[in-house]
Amino acid sequence: MLRLSTVFVRNVKLCSNFNQVQLAAFSSKAPEMIKVEKVGEKQNVALIKLNRPKALNALCAQLMTELADALHTLDTDKSVGAIVITGSERAFAAGADIKEMTNNEFASTFSGSFLSNWTAVSDVKKPVIAAVNGFALGGGNELAMMCDIIYAGEKARFGQPEINIGTIPGAGGTQRWARAAGKSFAMEVCLTGNHVSAQEAKEHGIVSKIFPADQVVGEAVKLGEKIAEQSPLIVQMAKEAVNKAYELTLQEGLHFERRLFHTTFATKDRKVNFC
Ligand SMILES: CCCCCCC[C@H](O)CC(=O)SCCNC(=O)CCNC(=O)[C@H](O)C(C)(C)COP(=O)([O-])OP(=O)([O-])OC[C@H]1O[C@@H](n2cnc3c(N)ncnc32)[C@H](O)[C@@H]1OP(=O)([O-])[O-]
C-alpha cells in the first residue's frame, strides 16, 4: 500500500505548506491561485478559473481559501446571476494537494478544522456551474460535484483515486457518486480509483452535457447567462428545492416544494412574468 508520503515523493513538488493560522491573512489580499472575472454580454456571470497550472490545480489550502472568499463575495453581488468554475484544458483539479496532507496526523486532523472551508461551494445560494476539462480527480471531482451543473469537455477524466494513496474521499465523493450514479458504480469508482470518461460520467448522471474542450467554458457561460435572466429569488428557490431531493424523503420533499411554490405567489417576480 502506498503511503501519502511515498506518493508525494514520487509525484509531487508542490505548494509550500500553509497552516490554518496563516490562512486568515489571504482573505485581504488579491487572489493568487484563482482568477475571477465577470463575463457574458451583460457581465452578469462570474467566471472563476483555478490557476495553479504546474500542480494541475491541486487544491491547496490557499487556493480553497481564495475560492471560498470569492464565492462568498459573488454570492452577495447583485450584478451576478450565476457562477462558473473552471480549470485549464489539462486539469480542472487533480485533487486535494497531497503535499499539504503528507504530515497530517489523526488527532490534529480530527479535532482541528482541517480544510473546513471545502464546503463553501455547496453553501452558495446562486447557481454554480462546473466547466470541466482534463482531470477532475479526488477533491477536484468532489469540487465539481458540489456544483449544481457539470458541463464536461470530451476528454475530461473524473475519478476518486484516493484509494491508491491509502485514504478515501473526504469531501463528498462516496456520498455524491452513490446518490448520482447508484451504489454499484459508486463502489467501482471509489474502490478502484479508476478514471471515468466524460461519456461514462454523463451516462451515470454526473455530467449534463459534453462539448469539445475549447467550447466547454463558453457553453457554461451561456448557460449561466440564461439562468441570470431569470428572477434571482425564484432561481434560488428552485435550486433549494432540487437540492432538498438529496436530503429529504419524497413526501417531505414534495411538501417542501409545494410550500416554496405557494411562496412564489407572494413575490413580485411571479406577477411580472405571469400576468
Ligand atoms: C472538509 C473535508 C475536506 C477534505 C478534502 C480532501 C478530500 C479528497 O477527497 C482527497 C484527495 O483529493 S487526495 C488526492 C487525489 N488525487 C490524486 O491522487 C491524483 C494525483 N495525481 C495524479 O495521479 C497525476 O498527477 C495525474 C494522473 C492527475 C496526471 O499525471 P501526469 O499527466 O503524468 O502529470 P504529473 O507529472 O503526475 O503531475 C503534474 C504536476 O502536478 C502535480 N500534482 C498532480 N496531482 C497533484 C495533487 N493531487 N497534489 C499535488 N500535486 C499534484 C505533480 O506533482 C506534478 O508536479 P511536479 O512539480 O512536476 O512534480
Side-chain angles (χ1 to χ4, degrees):
M1 170 67 65
L2 288 172
R3 295 179 58 233
L4 279 177
S5 53
T6 317
V7 171
F8 161 65
V9 170
R10 184 189 68 79
N11 213 15
V12 189
K13 280 180 246 141
L14 304 161
C15 94
S16 47
N17 266 329
F18 293 99
N19 63 40
Q20 300 297 321
V21 180
Q22 286 173 307
L23 291 177
F26 291 123
S27 38
S28 56
K29 289 203 287 180
E32 294 166 349
M33 295 188 175
I34 61 170
K35 286 183 181 166
V36 185
E37 56 181 326
K38 289 184 188 169
V39 294
E41 226 167 274
K42 296 182 184 161
Q43 302 276 291
N44 56 1
V45 176
L47 177 63
I48 301 178
K49 189 174 188 305
L50 310 180
N51 191 34
R52 255 193 106 196
K54 284 188 186 150
L56 302 184
N57 291 329
L59 303 168
C60 64
Q62 179 179 349
L63 190 156
M64 291 310 285
T65 300
E66 291 179 359
L67 181 62
D69 286 349
L71 288 169
H72 179 70
T73 304
L74 295 169
D75 210 19
T76 52
D77 180 340
K78 289 205 165 95
S79 71
V80 171
I83 299 165
V84 174
I85 301 179
T86 194
S88 66
E89 283 207 14
R90 189 162 174 225
F92 178 75
D97 191 309
I98 296 172
K99 179 178 182 180
E100 277 191 339
M101 296 191 293
T102 304
N103 297 321
N104 281 5
E105 287 176 356
F106 167 71
S108 57
T109 309
F110 187 80
S111 58
S113 56
F114 173 59
L115 300 178
S116 57
N117 58 5
W118 271 62
T119 54
V121 180
S122 28
D123 295 338
V124 175
K125 295 192 177 81
K126 290 176 184 169
V128 185
I129 303 157
V132 177
N133 273 313
F135 298 111
L137 302 177
N141 184 66
E142 291 168 310
L143 176 63
M145 290 200 299
M146 282 178 212
C147 297
D148 301 307
I149 298 167
I150 303 180
Y151 275 9
E154 285 162 345
K155 293 191 177 152
R157 309 290 291 172
F158 299 84
Q160 301 296 153
E162 290 89 343
I163 196 98
N164 296 326
I165 55 172
T167 183
I168 70 167
T174 60
Q175 303 304 296
R176 289 196 172 96
W177 274 105
R179 278 170 166 77
K183 178 176 167 179
S184 178
F185 197 71
M187 287 288 188
E188 209 176 310
V189 168
C190 296
L191 304 190
T192 64
N194 286 349
H195 292 184
V196 174
S197 69
Q199 193 54 46
E200 275 181 298
K202 184 164 179 287
E203 282 159 19
H204 289 280
I206 302 292
V207 162
S208 61
K209 288 198 175 87
I210 300 174
F211 299 97
D214 60 354
Q215 292 173 25
V216 184
V217 175
E219 291 294 335
V221 171
K222 272 194 227 161
L223 177 67
E225 285 184 285
K226 171 112 179 125
I227 294 169
E229 281 170 18
Q230 309 294 345
S231 150
L233 182 67
I234 305 299
V235 165
Q236 189 182 323
M237 286 185 188
K239 169 171 169 165
E240 202 176 328
V242 174
N243 276 333
K244 284 291 180 206
Y246 288 95
E247 313 287 342
L248 304 176
T249 65
L250 180 59
Q251 280 311 315
E252 288 165 341
L254 291 171
H255 183 71
F256 182 84
E257 178 196 76
R258 185 69 49 85
R259 286 304 186 211
L260 274 188
F261 170 69
H262 292 158
T263 308
T264 63
F265 285 78
T267 66
K268 288 184 185 140
D269 308 64
R270 184 200 62 85
K271 285 181 188 140
V272 168
N273 295 319
F274 203 67
C275 302

